[in-house]
Amino acid sequence: MWDDICHSSQKLEETLSILAQIRQHPTSEEGIIILRQSLKSKYSIAVAQAAKIVGESTITELVSDLVEAFARMMVKPAQVDQNCLAKKEIAQALYHLEYSDENLFLQGVRHIQMEPVWGGVEDTAAHLRGICALGLVRMNYSDVMNELSVTF
């Protein structure tokens, strides 16, 4: 089922529908496959939904997939992940999964994403910075106070 959709001209609605269907059994073999593929989606909202399911279901085997998705969302971030939707959910999931590599959280806590809004531009990464700050605090990152003073 998933392979057919993945290889066709997949639409966002189809992806979100499939994610909703596996929500009850996300740790099944099919659920893991769907989540892994969704984290590779070109749609940031699908990546965000998959990351949310991974975090809520504490699926530690997908940590590396979350990290890869985060890195992908940081390339041309305002274009591939408007409003930081995916990056926020990925960071939240990794925080919940007690991810302990400070590099991702440092990248997130330093991230500023200016996006056009009516009458100018706005930084859409504030929530992401907050989640990543909590990740650094939780892991007792030695330079956390300096990071926070620069960021906030």
Side-chain angles (χ1 to χ4, degrees), residues 28-152:
S28 69
E29 185 177 333
E30 182 182 20
I32 297 296
I33 291 168
I34 291 168
L35 288 168
R36 185 166 275 136
Q37 290 299 318
S38 296
L39 288 170
K40 295 176 183 174
S41 174
K42 67 179 181 179
Y43 301 111
S44 66
I45 193 164
V47 174
Q49 283 298 314
K52 185 172 188 156
I53 294 169
V54 170
E56 289 173 349
S57 304
T58 316
I59 306 174
T60 57
E61 70 187 271
L62 294 178
V63 165
S64 64
D65 299 87
L66 290 168
V67 173
E68 288 172 21
F70 188 88
R72 204 176 73 252
M73 294 293 138
M74 291 298 275
V75 176
K76 297 184 181 180
Q79 293 155 340
V80 298
D81 186 24
Q82 292 180 347
N83 295 312
C84 293
L85 294 175
K87 290 186 292 291
K88 286 186 285 193
E89 289 297 340
I90 292 167
Q92 186 68 48
L94 290 169
Y95 176 81
H96 177 76
L97 295 170
E98 298 183 5
Y99 183 68
S100 62
D101 182 347
E102 71 269 1
N103 292 320
L104 182 137
F105 291 123
L106 283 169
Q107 190 176 13
V109 83
R110 295 171 182 161
H111 185 64
I112 296 170
Q113 186 164 314
M114 302 305 287
E115 294 187 31
V117 294
W118 184 261
V121 292
E122 179 179 285
D123 178 14
T124 61
H127 190 201
L128 171 65
R129 289 193 299 273
I131 296 165
C132 290
L134 288 173
L136 292 171
V137 169
R138 190 201 68 237
M139 70 177 69
N140 294 318
Y141 178 68
S142 62
D143 207 24
V144 71
M145 293 309 288
N146 286 331
E147 290 296 332
L148 298 181
S149 67
V150 170
T151 303
F152 296 95

